[in-house]
Amino acid sequence: MMVDIPFRDDMKKASLEGRKCCTSRNSKYGHPGDTFLIDGQLFVIKKISKMKLDWITFRYFKEEGFNSPDEFKAVWTEIHPKAEYDPDHRVWTHWYEMVA
Protein backbone atom coordinates (compact mmCIF):
# COMPACT_ATOMS: atom_id res chain seq x y z
CA MET A 1 0.00 0.00 0.00
CA MET A 2 1.23 3.50 -0.80
CA VAL A 3 1.29 5.81 2.26
CA ASP A 4 2.10 9.49 2.67
CA ILE A 5 4.89 10.43 5.06
CA PRO A 6 5.63 14.16 5.06
CA PHE A 7 9.27 15.28 5.26
CA ARG A 8 10.97 18.65 5.59
CA ASP A 9 13.08 19.58 2.55
CA ASP A 10 16.37 18.91 4.39
CA MET A 11 15.15 15.47 5.45
CA LYS A 12 14.00 14.70 1.90
CA LYS A 13 17.51 15.50 0.70
CA ALA A 14 19.10 13.36 3.44
CA SER A 15 16.85 10.42 2.49
CA LEU A 16 17.56 10.77 -1.22
CA GLU A 17 21.30 10.95 -0.52
CA GLY A 18 21.15 7.83 1.69
CA ARG A 19 22.08 9.70 4.89
CA LYS A 20 18.65 9.09 6.45
CA CYS A 21 17.08 5.63 6.75
CA CYS A 22 14.55 6.14 9.53
CA THR A 23 12.08 8.71 10.73
CA SER A 24 10.46 8.95 14.15
CA ARG A 25 6.92 10.21 14.49
CA ASN A 26 4.19 10.59 17.08
CA SER A 27 1.92 8.52 14.83
CA LYS A 28 2.39 5.29 12.95
CA TYR A 29 2.47 5.77 9.16
CA GLY A 30 1.72 2.45 7.52
CA HIS A 31 3.20 -1.01 8.00
CA PRO A 32 6.31 -2.90 6.89
CA GLY A 33 6.09 -3.44 3.13
CA ASP A 34 4.18 -0.21 2.52
CA THR A 35 5.77 2.29 0.14
CA PHE A 36 6.00 6.08 -0.05
CA LEU A 37 7.45 8.67 -2.38
CA ILE A 38 10.00 11.40 -1.79
CA ASP A 39 10.27 13.69 -4.81
CA GLY A 40 9.24 10.86 -7.13
CA GLN A 41 11.66 8.30 -5.64
CA LEU A 42 10.05 5.17 -4.20
CA PHE A 43 10.93 4.01 -0.68
CA VAL A 44 9.72 0.94 1.23
CA ILE A 45 9.10 0.69 4.97
CA LYS A 46 11.19 -2.20 6.30
CA LYS A 47 10.33 -2.10 10.01
CA ILE A 48 8.39 0.02 12.50
CA SER A 49 9.21 0.04 16.19
CA LYS A 50 8.11 2.07 19.19
CA MET A 51 10.92 3.54 21.29
CA LYS A 52 11.60 6.29 23.78
CA LEU A 53 12.56 9.59 22.20
CA ASP A 54 15.73 9.69 24.30
CA TRP A 55 16.87 6.37 22.81
CA ILE A 56 16.36 7.72 19.28
CA THR A 57 18.14 10.97 20.14
CA PHE A 58 21.30 9.37 21.43
CA ARG A 59 21.41 5.99 19.63
CA TYR A 60 19.90 6.66 16.20
CA PHE A 61 20.55 10.35 15.46
CA LYS A 62 22.78 9.43 12.46
CA GLU A 63 20.15 7.11 10.99
CA GLU A 64 17.69 9.99 11.39
CA GLY A 65 19.97 12.10 9.18
CA PHE A 66 21.62 14.26 11.85
CA ASN A 67 25.23 14.90 12.85
CA SER A 68 24.65 14.89 16.61
CA PRO A 69 22.06 14.20 19.29
CA ASP A 70 21.80 17.96 19.91
CA GLU A 71 20.95 18.58 16.25
CA PHE A 72 18.22 15.91 16.34
CA LYS A 73 16.81 17.32 19.57
CA ALA A 74 16.79 20.89 18.19
CA VAL A 75 14.86 19.87 15.07
CA TRP A 76 12.43 17.72 17.08
CA THR A 77 11.74 20.71 19.34
CA GLU A 78 11.32 23.00 16.31
CA ILE A 79 8.83 20.63 14.68
CA HIS A 80 6.89 20.19 17.95
CA PRO A 81 6.92 23.72 19.45
CA LYS A 82 3.92 23.25 21.77
CA ALA A 83 5.37 20.21 23.52
CA GLU A 84 8.57 20.23 25.50
CA TYR A 85 11.18 17.61 24.66
CA ASP A 86 10.29 14.61 26.81
CA PRO A 87 13.00 11.92 26.75
CA ASP A 88 10.49 9.29 27.94
CA HIS A 89 7.97 10.06 25.19
CA ARG A 90 7.48 6.96 23.05
CA VAL A 91 7.53 7.47 19.28
CA TRP A 92 7.06 5.28 16.21
CA THR A 93 10.32 4.83 14.32
CA HIS A 94 9.89 3.92 10.67
CA TRP A 95 12.91 2.22 9.08
CA TYR A 96 12.99 2.45 5.30
CA GLU A 97 15.13 2.08 2.22
CA MET A 98 15.13 3.37 -1.31
CA VAL A 99 13.73 1.04 -3.96
CA ALA A 100 16.09 0.69 -6.93
Side-chain angles (χ1 to χ4, degrees):
M1 175 188 294
M2 181 75 72
V3 296
D4 182 37
I5 303 178
F7 288 89
R8 295 163 31 126
D9 286 342
D10 56 342
M11 296 294 97
K12 287 180 184 180
K13 182 178 180 187
S15 293
L16 292 167
E17 292 176 352
R19 295 183 289 111
K20 180 174 178 65
C21 63
C22 71
T23 186
S24 297
R25 307 298 176 105
N26 285 319
S27 299
K28 187 176 176 185
Y29 285 81
H31 302 278
D34 288 348
T35 56
F36 62 95
L37 293 172
I38 298 178
D39 291 346
Q41 175 61 54
L42 189 65
F43 288 81
V44 61
I45 298 172
K46 301 303 285 184
K47 177 175 81 170
I48 300 175
S49 52
K50 198 161 190 182
M51 295 184 261
K52 287 185 179 182
L53 188 56
D54 194 49
W55 185 251
I56 301 300
T57 304
F58 291 99
R59 174 61 184 91
Y60 295 114
F61 67 89
K62 286 183 183 177
E63 290 84 348
E64 284 275 1
F66 297 97
N67 295 315
S68 70
D70 288 338
E71 186 181 7
F72 174 84
K73 188 175 176 180
V75 170
W76 182 273
T77 303
E78 178 185 322
I79 292 170
H80 304 91
K82 293 183 181 180
E84 290 186 25
Y85 178 86
D86 177 1
D88 292 323
H89 179 65
R90 293 179 60 83
V91 296
W92 294 99
T93 302
H94 304 69
W95 299 87
Y96 58 87
E97 65 183 31
M98 189 181 300
V99 176

Coordinates of all heavy atoms in Angstrom, one line a residue, residues 31-97:
H31 N 2.7 0.3 7.5 CA 3.2 -1.0 8.0 C 4.4 -1.5 7.2 O 4.6 -1.0 6.0 CB 2.1 -2.1 7.9 CG 0.8 -1.7 8.6 ND1 0.7 -1.9 10.0 CD2 -0.3 -1.1 8.2 CE1 -0.5 -1.4 10.4 NE2 -1.1 -0.9 9.3
P32 N 5.2 -2.4 7.7 CA 6.3 -2.9 6.9 C 5.8 -3.4 5.5 O 4.7 -4.1 5.5 CB 6.9 -4.0 7.7 CG 6.6 -3.6 9.1 CD 5.2 -2.9 9.1
G33 N 6.5 -3.1 4.5 CA 6.1 -3.4 3.1 C 5.4 -2.3 2.4 O 5.3 -2.3 1.2
D34 N 4.8 -1.4 3.2 CA 4.2 -0.2 2.5 C 5.3 0.7 1.9 O 6.4 0.7 2.3 CB 3.4 0.6 3.5 CG 2.1 -0.1 4.0 OD1 1.7 -1.1 3.4 OD2 1.5 0.4 5.0
T35 N 4.9 1.4 0.9 CA 5.8 2.3 0.1 C 5.3 3.8 0.3 O 4.2 4.0 0.6 CB 5.8 1.9 -1.3 OG1 4.5 1.9 -1.9 CG2 6.4 0.5 -1.5
F36 N 6.3 4.6 0.0 CA 6.0 6.1 -0.1 C 7.0 6.7 -1.0 O 8.0 6.1 -1.4 CB 6.1 6.7 1.4 CG 7.4 6.6 2.0 CD1 8.3 7.7 1.9 CD2 7.8 5.5 2.8 CE1 9.6 7.6 2.6 CE2 9.0 5.4 3.4 CZ 9.9 6.5 3.3
L37 N 6.6 7.9 -1.4 CA 7.5 8.7 -2.4 C 8.1 9.9 -1.7 O 7.5 10.6 -0.9 CB 6.6 9.2 -3.6 CG 6.1 8.1 -4.5 CD1 5.1 8.7 -5.5 CD2 7.2 7.4 -5.2
I38 N 9.3 10.1 -2.1 CA 10.0 11.4 -1.8 C 10.5 12.0 -3.1 O 11.4 11.3 -3.8 CB 11.2 11.2 -0.8 CG1 10.7 10.7 0.5 CG2 11.9 12.5 -0.6 CD1 11.8 10.4 1.5
D39 N 9.9 13.1 -3.5 CA 10.3 13.7 -4.8 C 10.3 12.7 -6.0 O 11.3 12.7 -6.8 CB 11.6 14.4 -4.7 CG 11.5 15.7 -3.8 OD1 10.4 16.1 -3.5 OD2 12.5 16.2 -3.4
G40 N 9.3 11.8 -6.0 CA 9.2 10.9 -7.1 C 10.0 9.6 -6.9 O 9.9 8.6 -7.7
Q41 N 10.9 9.5 -5.9 CA 11.7 8.3 -5.6 C 10.9 7.4 -4.7 O 10.4 7.9 -3.6 CB 13.0 8.7 -5.1 CG 13.9 7.5 -4.6 CD 14.2 6.5 -5.8 OE1 14.8 7.0 -6.8 NE2 13.9 5.3 -5.6
L42 N 10.8 6.1 -5.0 CA 10.1 5.2 -4.2 C 10.9 4.6 -3.1 O 12.1 4.3 -3.2 CB 9.6 4.0 -5.1 CG 8.6 3.0 -4.4 CD1 7.3 3.7 -4.1 CD2 8.4 1.8 -5.4
F43 N 10.3 4.6 -1.9 CA 10.9 4.0 -0.7 C 10.0 3.0 -0.1 O 8.8 3.0 -0.3 CB 11.2 5.1 0.4 CG 12.3 6.0 0.1 CD1 12.1 7.1 -0.8 CD2 13.5 5.9 0.6 CE1 13.1 8.0 -1.1 CE2 14.6 6.8 0.3 CZ 14.3 7.8 -0.6
V44 N 10.5 2.0 0.6 CA 9.7 0.9 1.2 C 10.0 0.9 2.7 O 11.2 1.0 3.1 CB 10.0 -0.5 0.6 CG1 11.4 -0.9 0.8 CG2 9.0 -1.5 1.2
I45 N 9.0 0.8 3.5 CA 9.1 0.7 5.0 C 9.5 -0.7 5.3 O 8.9 -1.7 4.9 CB 7.8 1.0 5.7 CG1 7.4 2.5 5.4 CG2 7.9 0.8 7.2 CD1 6.0 2.8 5.9
K46 N 10.7 -0.9 6.0 CA 11.2 -2.2 6.3 C 10.7 -2.7 7.7 O 10.5 -3.9 7.9 CB 12.7 -2.2 6.3 CG 13.3 -1.8 4.9 CD 12.8 -2.7 3.8 CE 13.5 -4.0 3.8 NZ 13.2 -4.9 2.7
K47 N 10.7 -1.7 8.6 CA 10.3 -2.1 10.0 C 9.8 -0.9 10.7 O 10.2 0.3 10.4 CB 11.6 -2.6 10.7 CG 11.5 -2.9 12.2 CD 12.7 -3.5 12.7 CE 13.7 -2.4 13.1 NZ 14.9 -2.9 13.8
I48 N 8.9 -1.1 11.7 CA 8.4 0.0 12.5 C 8.5 -0.4 13.9 O 8.1 -1.5 14.3 CB 6.9 0.4 12.2 CG1 6.8 0.8 10.7 CG2 6.4 1.5 13.1 CD1 5.4 1.1 10.2
S49 N 9.1 0.4 14.8 CA 9.2 0.0 16.2 C 8.9 1.3 17.0 O 8.9 2.4 16.6 CB 10.6 -0.4 16.5 OG 11.6 0.5 16.0
K50 N 8.5 1.0 18.3 CA 8.1 2.1 19.2 C 9.2 2.2 20.3 O 9.5 1.2 20.9 CB 6.7 1.8 19.8 CG 6.2 3.1 20.4 CD 4.7 2.9 20.7 CE 4.1 4.3 21.0 NZ 2.7 4.2 21.3
M51 N 9.8 3.3 20.4 CA 10.9 3.5 21.3 C 10.8 4.9 22.0 O 10.1 5.8 21.5 CB 12.2 3.5 20.5 CG 12.6 2.2 19.9 SD 14.2 2.2 19.1 CE 13.7 2.5 17.4
K52 N 11.5 5.0 23.1 CA 11.6 6.3 23.8 C 12.4 7.3 22.9 O 13.4 7.0 22.3 CB 12.3 6.1 25.1 CG 11.4 5.4 26.2 CD 12.1 5.4 27.5 CE 11.3 4.8 28.6 NZ 11.9 4.8 29.9
L53 N 11.9 8.5 23.0 CA 12.6 9.6 22.2 C 14.0 9.7 22.6 O 14.9 10.0 21.7 CB 11.8 10.9 22.4 CG 12.2 12.1 21.5 CD1 12.1 11.7 20.1 CD2 11.3 13.3 21.9
D54 N 14.4 9.6 23.8 CA 15.7 9.7 24.3 C 16.6 8.6 23.6 O 17.8 8.9 23.3 CB 15.8 9.5 25.8 CG 17.1 10.0 26.4 OD1 17.6 11.1 26.1 OD2 17.7 9.2 27.2
W55 N 16.1 7.4 23.4 CA 16.9 6.4 22.8 C 17.2 6.7 21.4 O 18.3 6.6 20.9 CB 16.1 5.1 22.9 CG 16.8 3.9 22.4 CD1 16.6 3.2 21.2 CD2 18.0 3.2 23.0 NE1 17.4 2.2 21.1 CE2 18.3 2.2 22.1 CE3 18.7 3.4 24.1 CZ2 19.4 1.3 22.4 CZ3 19.8 2.6 24.4 CH2 20.1 1.5 23.5
I56 N 16.2 7.3 20.7 CA 16.4 7.7 19.3 C 17.4 8.8 19.2 O 18.3 8.8 18.4 CB 15.0 8.2 18.7 CG1 14.0 7.2 18.7 CG2 15.3 8.8 17.3 CD1 14.3 5.9 17.9
T57 N 17.3 9.8 20.1 CA 18.1 11.0 20.1 C 19.6 10.6 20.3 O 20.4 11.1 19.5 CB 17.8 11.9 21.3 OG1 16.4 12.3 21.2 CG2 18.6 13.1 21.3
F58 N 19.9 9.7 21.2 CA 21.3 9.4 21.4 C 21.8 8.1 20.7 O 23.0 8.0 20.5 CB 21.5 9.2 22.9 CG 21.4 10.6 23.6 CD1 20.2 10.9 24.2 CD2 22.4 11.5 23.6 CE1 20.1 12.2 24.8 CE2 22.3 12.7 24.2 CZ 21.1 13.1 24.8
R59 N 21.0 7.2 20.3 CA 21.4 6.0 19.6 C 21.3 6.1 18.1 O 22.1 5.5 17.4 CB 20.6 4.8 20.2 CG 20.9 3.5 19.5 CD 22.4 3.0 19.6 NE 22.6 1.8 18.9 CZ 23.0 1.8 17.6 NH1 23.1 2.9 16.9 NH2 23.2 0.6 17.0
Y60 N 20.2 6.7 17.6 CA 19.9 6.7 16.2 C 19.9 8.0 15.5 O 19.3 8.2 14.4 CB 18.6 6.0 16.0 CG 18.6 4.5 16.4 CD1 17.8 4.1 17.4 CD2 19.4 3.6 15.7 CE1 17.8 2.7 17.8 CE2 19.4 2.3 16.1 CZ 18.6 1.8 17.1 OH 18.7 0.5 17.5
F61 N 20.6 9.0 16.1 CA 20.6 10.4 15.5 C 21.1 10.3 14.0 O 20.7 11.0 13.1 CB 21.3 11.4 16.3 CG 22.8 11.2 16.5 CD1 23.7 11.7 15.6 CD2 23.2 10.4 17.5 CE1 25.0 11.5 15.7 CE2 24.6 10.2 17.7 CZ 25.5 10.7 16.8
K62 N 22.2 9.5 13.8 CA 22.8 9.4 12.5 C 21.8 8.8 11.5 O 21.7 9.3 10.3 CB 24.1 8.6 12.5 CG 25.2 9.4 13.1 CD 26.5 8.6 13.1 CE 27.6 9.3 13.8 NZ 28.8 8.5 13.8
E63 N 21.1 7.7 11.9 CA 20.1 7.1 11.0 C 19.0 8.0 10.7 O 18.3 7.9 9.7 CB 19.6 5.8 11.6 CG 20.7 4.7 11.6 CD 21.6 4.7 12.8 OE1 21.7 5.8 13.6 OE2 22.4 3.8 13.0
E64 N 18.7 9.0 11.6 CA 17.7 10.0 11.4 C 18.2 11.1 10.5 O 17.4 12.0 10.1 CB 17.3 10.6 12.7 CG 16.4 9.7 13.6 CD 14.9 9.8 13.2 OE1 14.6 10.5 12.3 OE2 14.1 9.1 13.9
G65 N 19.4 11.1 10.1 CA 20.0 12.1 9.2 C 20.6 13.3 9.8 O 20.9 14.3 9.2
F66 N 21.0 13.1 11.1 CA 21.6 14.3 11.8 C 23.1 14.0 12.2 O 23.5 12.8 12.3 CB 20.8 14.6 13.1 CG 19.4 15.0 12.8 CD1 18.3 14.1 12.8 CD2 19.2 16.3 12.4 CE1 17.1 14.5 12.5 CE2 17.9 16.8 12.1 CZ 16.8 15.9 12.1
N67 N 23.8 15.0 12.5 CA 25.2 14.9 12.8 C 25.5 14.7 14.3 O 26.6 14.3 14.7 CB 26.0 16.1 12.4 CG 26.0 16.2 10.9 OD1 26.2 15.2 10.2 ND2 25.7 17.4 10.3
S68 N 24.5 15.0 15.2 CA 24.7 14.9 16.6 C 23.3 14.7 17.3 O 22.3 15.1 16.7 CB 25.3 16.1 17.1 OG 24.5 17.3 17.1
P69 N 23.3 14.3 18.5 CA 22.1 14.2 19.3 C 21.5 15.6 19.5 O 20.2 15.8 19.4 CB 22.5 13.6 20.6 CG 23.7 12.8 20.3 CD 24.4 13.6 19.2
D70 N 22.3 16.6 19.7 CA 21.8 18.0 19.9 C 21.1 18.5 18.7 O 20.1 19.2 18.8 CB 22.9 18.9 20.3 CG 23.4 18.7 21.7 OD1 22.7 18.1 22.5 OD2 24.6 19.1 22.0
E71 N 21.6 18.2 17.5 CA 20.9 18.6 16.2 C 19.6 17.9 16.1 O 18.6 18.6 15.8 CB 21.8 18.2 15.1 CG 21.3 18.8 13.7 CD 22.2 18.4 12.6 OE1 23.2 17.6 12.7 OE2 21.9 18.9 11.5
F72 N 19.5 16.6 16.4 CA 18.2 15.9 16.3 C 17.2 16.5 17.3 O 16.1 16.8 17.0 CB 18.4 14.4 16.7 CG 17.1 13.7 16.8 CD1 16.4 13.2 15.6 CD2 16.5 13.5 18.0 CE1 15.2 12.5 15.7 CE2 15.2 12.9 18.1 CZ 14.6 12.4 17.0
K73 N 17.7 16.8 18.5 CA 16.8 17.3 19.6 C 16.3 18.7 19.2 O 15.1 19.0 19.4 CB 17.6 17.4 20.9 CG 16.7 17.7 22.1 CD 17.6 17.7 23.4 CE 16.8 18.1 24.5 NZ 17.5 18.0 25.8
A74 N 17.2 19.5 18.6 CA 16.8 20.9 18.2 C 15.7 20.8 17.1 O 14.7 21.6 17.2 CB 18.0 21.7 17.7
V75 N 15.9 20.0 16.1 CA 14.9 19.9 15.1 C 13.6 19.3 15.6 O 12.5 19.8 15.3 CB 15.4 19.0 13.9 CG1 14.3 18.7 12.9 CG2 16.5 19.8 13.2
W76 N 13.7 18.3 16.5 CA 12.4 17.7 17.1 C 11.7 18.8 17.8 O 10.5 18.9 17.7 CB 12.8 16.6 18.0 CG 11.5 15.9 18.6 CD1 10.9 16.3 19.7 CD2 10.8 14.9 18.1 NE1 9.8 15.5 19.9 CE2 9.7 14.6 18.9 CE3 10.9 14.1 16.9 CZ2 8.7 13.6 18.7 CZ3 10.0 13.0 16.7 CH2 8.9 12.9 17.6
T77 N 12.4 19.6 18.6 CA 11.7 20.7 19.3 C 11.2 21.8 18.4 O 10.1 22.3 18.7 CB 12.8 21.4 20.3 OG1 13.3 20.3 21.2 CG2 12.2 22.4 21.2
E78 N 11.8 22.0 17.3 CA 11.3 23.0 16.3 C 10.0 22.5 15.7 O 9.1 23.3 15.5 CB 12.4 23.2 15.3 CG 12.0 24.2 14.1 CD 13.1 24.3 13.1 OE1 14.3 24.2 13.4 OE2 12.7 24.3 11.9
I79 N 10.0 21.2 15.3 CA 8.8 20.6 14.7 C 7.6 20.5 15.6 O 6.5 20.6 15.2 CB 9.2 19.2 14.1 CG1 10.2 19.4 13.0 CG2 7.9 18.5 13.6 CD1 10.7 18.1 12.5
H80 N 7.9 20.3 16.9 CA 6.9 20.2 17.9 C 7.0 21.3 19.0 O 7.3 21.1 20.1 CB 7.0 18.8 18.7 CG 7.0 17.7 17.7 ND1 8.2 17.2 17.1 CD2 6.0 17.0 17.2 CE1 7.8 16.2 16.3 NE2 6.5 16.0 16.4
P81 N 6.7 22.6 18.6 CA 6.9 23.7 19.4 C 6.0 23.8 20.7 O 6.4 24.4 21.7 CB 6.7 24.9 18.5 CG 5.7 24.4 17.5 CD 6.1 23.0 17.3
K82 N 4.8 23.2 20.6 CA 3.9 23.3 21.8 C 4.3 22.3 22.9 O 3.8 22.4 24.0 CB 2.5 23.1 21.3 CG 2.0 24.2 20.4 CD 0.6 24.0 20.0 CE 0.1 25.2 19.1 NZ -1.2 25.1 18.7
A83 N 5.0 21.2 22.5 CA 5.4 20.2 23.5 C 6.9 20.3 23.9 O 7.7 20.5 23.0 CB 5.1 18.8 23.0
E84 N 7.2 20.2 25.1 CA 8.6 20.2 25.5 C 9.2 18.9 25.1 O 8.5 17.9 25.0 CB 8.7 20.5 27.0 CG 8.4 21.9 27.4 CD 8.6 22.1 28.9 OE1 9.5 21.4 29.5 OE2 8.0 23.0 29.4
Y85 N 10.5 18.9 24.9 CA 11.2 17.6 24.7 C 11.1 16.7 25.9 O 11.5 17.1 27.0 CB 12.6 17.9 24.3 CG 13.4 16.7 24.1 CD1 13.5 16.1 22.8 CD2 14.1 16.0 25.1 CE1 14.2 14.9 22.6 CE2 14.9 14.9 24.8 CZ 14.9 14.3 23.6 OH 15.6 13.2 23.4
D86 N 10.5 15.6 25.7 CA 10.3 14.6 26.8 C 11.1 13.3 26.5 O 10.6 12.6 25.6 CB 8.8 14.3 27.0 CG 8.6 13.2 28.1 OD1 9.5 12.8 28.7 OD2 7.4 12.9 28.3
P87 N 12.2 13.1 27.1 CA 13.0 11.9 26.8 C 12.3 10.6 26.9 O 12.6 9.6 26.3 CB 14.2 12.0 27.7 CG 13.8 12.9 28.8 CD 12.7 13.8 28.2
D88 N 11.2 10.5 27.7 CA 10.5 9.3 27.9 C 9.3 9.1 27.0 O 8.7 8.1 27.0 CB 10.0 9.2 29.4 CG 11.1 9.1 30.4 OD1 12.1 8.3 30.1 OD2 11.0 9.7 31.5
H89 N 9.1 10.1 26.2 CA 8.0 10.1 25.2 C 8.3 8.9 24.2 O 9.4 8.8 23.7 CB 7.8 11.4 24.5 CG 6.8 11.4 23.4 ND1 5.5 11.3 23.7 CD2 6.9 11.6 22.1 CE1 4.7 11.4 22.6 NE2 5.6 11.5 21.6
R90 N 7.3 8.1 24.0 CA 7.5 7.0 23.0 C 7.0 7.4 21.7 O 5.9 7.9 21.5 CB 6.8 5.7 23.6 CG 7.4 5.2 24.9 CD 6.8 4.0 25.5 NE 6.7 2.9 24.6 CZ 7.8 2.0 24.5 NH1 8.9 2.2 25.1 NH2 7.7 0.9 23.7
V91 N 7.8 7.1 20.7 CA 7.5 7.5 19.3 C 7.6 6.2 18.4 O 8.3 5.2 18.7 CB 8.5 8.6 18.8 CG1 8.3 9.9 19.6 CG2 9.9 8.1 18.8
W92 N 7.0 6.3 17.2 CA 7.1 5.3 16.2 C 8.2 5.6 15.3 O 8.3 6.6 14.7 CB 5.8 5.2 15.4 CG 4.6 4.8 16.2 CD1 3.6 5.6 16.7 CD2 4.2 3.5 16.5 NE1 2.7 4.9 17.4 CE2 3.0 3.6 17.3 CE3 4.8 2.2 16.3 CZ2 2.4 2.4 17.7 CZ3 4.1 1.1 16.7 CH2 2.9 1.2 17.5
T93 N 9.2 4.7 15.2 CA 10.3 4.8 14.3 C 10.1 3.9 13.1 O 9.9 2.7 13.2 CB 11.6 4.5 15.0 OG1 11.7 5.4 16.2 CG2 12.8 4.8 14.1
H94 N 10.1 4.6 11.9 CA 9.9 3.9 10.7 C 11.2 3.7 10.0 O 11.9 4.7 9.6 CB 9.0 4.8 9.8 CG 7.7 5.1 10.4 ND1 7.6 5.9 11.5 CD2 6.4 4.7 10.1 CE1 6.3 6.0 11.9 NE2 5.6 5.3 11.0
W95 N 11.7 2.5 9.8 CA 12.9 2.2 9.1 C 12.6 2.0 7.6 O 11.6 1.2 7.3 CB 13.6 1.0 9.7 CG 13.9 1.2 11.1 CD1 13.1 1.0 12.2 CD2 15.1 1.7 11.7 NE1 13.7 1.3 13.4 CE2 15.0 1.8 13.1 CE3 16.3 2.1 11.1 CZ2 16.0 2.2 13.9 CZ3 17.3 2.5 11.9 CH2 17.2 2.6 13.3
Y96 N 13.3 2.6 6.7 CA 13.0 2.4 5.3 C 14.2 2.4 4.4 O 15.4 2.7 4.9 CB 12.1 3.6 4.9 CG 12.6 5.0 5.1 CD1 13.4 5.6 4.2 CD2 12.4 5.7 6.3 CE1 14.0 6.8 4.4 CE2 12.9 6.9 6.5 CZ 13.7 7.5 5.5 OH 14.2 8.8 5.7
E97 N 14.0 2.0 3.2 CA 15.1 2.1 2.2 C 14.6 2.4 0.8 O 13.4 2.2 0.6 CB 15.9 0.8 2.2 CG 15.1 -0.4 1.7 CD 15.9 -1.7 1.8 OE1 16.8 -1.9 2.6 OE2 15.6 -2.6 0.9

